[in-house]
Amino acid sequence: MSVHRGKVRKLGISIVTEILYLRAQSKLVFTLTTFYMIIGVPKEIKNNENRVALTPAGTQELTRRGHTVHIQTKAGEGSGFSDEEYVRAGGKILATAAEVFQVAEMIMKVKEPIEQEYSLIRKDQLVFTYFHFASYEPLAHAMIKTGAVCLAYETVERVDGSLPLLVPMSEVAGRMAIQEGAKYLEKPLKGRGILLGGVPGVMPAKVLILGGGVVGTNAAKIAAGMGADVIIADLNINRLRYLDDVMPKNVHTMVSSDYVLRDLVKTHDLIVGAVLVPGAKAPKLITRDMLATMRPGTVLVDVAVDQGGCIETCKPTTHENPTYIIDDVVHYCVANMPGAVPYTSTLALTNATLPFAIKLASQGWKKACQESMELRKGLNVVQGKVVYKAVADAFNLGYTDVKEVIG
């Protein structure tokens, strides 16, 4: 048996093909094709975004499989990872984002590209990151124009409906929602001046959580642990039954409705928006007129802000200027909450994204998406076509079935 090895360069992807022949019968036995991909990790430039898309450990896992990983200098610094650690892991350091985008076949990021990055993205380049297209129409149009392949972390979906690449950041954001909400309930920060857990002889704060998914569950855990009186409101009665079984006694469940929420907001000190419709805009559960019925100093934390927010008066804020006040109600609507705890967030994110990144790098995006329904669901915009229906519906854009672009 002999081995023929050949290297070709096609569609910007390095391919090594090994063909084994059975010499005696001159028949092809099998063909093994491996993609060796060039991966780029630019430094995040969104306000106070200190996460990075790949750890040194993740870099090593990719490079030992034959892939090339280019990291922009100091990209990992905010998360506690030095350039030297990436080099030891087999990565290559480049000075600028432009260099990283120019050389890479797959870009791995944390947050969606912002305006100054639009022009760096190339036709047919795979961009693997959180996009949240439905919350920002200019981004959708910009990515359509680039002709890139946009695979969104937040819509990668398992058969059971779970969102494996959204879960780790939802866990962080849910827990942070209570941490930040408790802080902004303090009087110097314009809150009600109430301690979340109260003290003996004084009632604890009341926390209302809208949504019983990953964000809501993690928020409830922390709020309950701090001693608050907690209500989780959701439409899914089976989910509420589950939460009622597993949560401590200071967590209660209610079926959500406009009538119920209008009553609850009058008496709750901290309200957390934790509603998710995968890939689509979040429904507005807290409306502008409800603010007038809330007590001065009530704090609203809208974790759904990445998807347009479930609070009507929500608008994205930054870690630099995280809050604003309407009708004496404090709004905390930071769009990248996990960026405030980058070490934890980066490790959690890489743990989740790395197996998918390896599959994409080793097979190429098209084959990987043909074989994996999970990754296929992550495709949102492909070479100028919108292939995720919720995004097309959000902005009345033309929709193309994903099967047409992956073959």
Side-chain angles (χ1 to χ4, degrees), residues 70-92:
H70 291 281
I71 312 284
Q72 185 181 348
T73 186
K74 298 184 178 179
E77 193 173 61
S79 295
F81 304 117
S82 67
D83 287 353
E84 289 74 20
E85 289 178 87
Y86 283 106
V87 170
R88 286 198 299 271
K92 302 178 186 298

Side-chain angles (χ1 to χ4, degrees), residues 47-351:
N47 179 278
N48 280 291
E49 181 51 75
N50 295 299
R51 289 173 289 178
V52 64
L54 195 64
T55 62
T59 299
Q60 185 178 68
E61 289 302 310
L62 286 162
T63 57
R64 76 183 184 87
R65 287 171 169 81
H67 307 298
T68 302
V69 180
H70 291 281
I71 312 284
Q72 185 181 348
T73 186
K74 298 184 178 179
E77 193 173 61
S79 295
F81 304 117
S82 67
D83 287 353
E84 289 74 20
E85 289 178 87
Y86 283 106
V87 170
R88 286 198 299 271
K92 302 178 186 298
I93 303 299
L94 293 178
T96 66
E99 291 175 88
V100 172
F101 277 91
Q102 180 59 39
V103 74
E105 295 153 353
M106 174 167 70
I107 292 290
M108 291 185 69
K109 281 178 50 58
V110 178
K111 293 302 292 178
E112 72 282 352
I114 61 176
E115 284 188 38
Q116 62 209 79
E117 294 172 307
Y118 293 170
S119 63
L120 300 178
I121 298 171
R122 307 193 321 272
K123 186 177 185 297
D124 297 328
Q125 191 170 48
L126 173 61
V127 184
F128 192 34
T129 188
Y130 289 115
F131 277 103
H132 299 288
F133 278 117
S135 66
Y136 191 53
E137 187 172 1
L139 175 64
H141 287 291
M143 293 303 101
I144 290 169
K145 185 177 179 181
T146 65
V149 178
C150 301
L151 207 157
Y153 292 161
E154 72 274 8
T155 62
V156 172
E157 184 177 339
R158 298 197 191 280
V159 175
D160 63 4
S162 62
L163 305 167
L165 305 190
L166 194 59
V167 164
M169 295 304 95
S170 294
E171 291 170 333
V172 172
R175 294 173 184 227
M176 279 193 68
I178 302 303
Q179 182 172 300
E180 297 300 317
K183 179 170 72 178
Y184 285 98
L185 278 171
E186 296 174 9
K187 197 66 175 179
L189 298 174
K190 309 303 182 184
R192 288 200 66 225
I194 185 170
L195 184 65
L196 211 61
V199 292
V202 180
M203 293 293 289
K206 289 187 174 185
V207 176
L208 172 61
I209 298 170
L210 310 176
V214 176
V215 171
T217 300
N218 279 271
K221 283 180 182 179
I222 302 304
M226 294 177 73
D229 185 45
V230 183
I231 288 179
I232 302 175
D234 198 290
L235 291 172
N236 188 333
I237 188 65
N238 289 326
R239 180 64 181 176
L240 293 179
R241 287 194 180 103
Y242 167 77
L243 292 171
D244 188 67
D245 282 342
V246 301
M247 285 291 174
K249 294 302 180 185
N250 55 332
V251 177
H252 314 283
T253 60
M254 291 191 73
V255 173
S256 181
S257 70
D258 182 70
Y259 184 90
V260 166
L261 295 183
R262 286 182 180 277
D263 188 50
L264 293 176
V265 298
K266 299 173 186 177
T267 57
H268 281 70
D269 307 295
L270 171 58
I271 300 171
V272 177
V275 178
L276 173 69
V277 180
K281 283 188 175 181
K284 305 299 183 187
L285 301 184
I286 303 296
T287 55
R288 176 70 175 80
D289 62 297
M290 290 184 189
L291 268 59
T293 69
M294 299 177 189
R295 293 177 294 194
T298 297
V299 174
L300 307 180
V301 178
D302 197 343
V303 185
V305 63
D306 275 337
Q307 292 295 111
C310 63
I311 297 169
E312 188 176 12
T313 48
C314 161
K315 60 181 181 181
T317 61
T318 66
H319 289 293
E320 193 170 76
N321 295 294
T323 63
Y324 57 91
I325 296 173
I326 299 176
D327 289 352
D328 295 322
V329 173
V330 180
H331 292 60
Y332 179 98
C333 305
V334 174
N336 60 327
M337 289 175 63
V341 286
Y343 181 75
T344 298
S345 298
T346 292
L347 288 171
L349 184 61
T350 296
N351 288 343

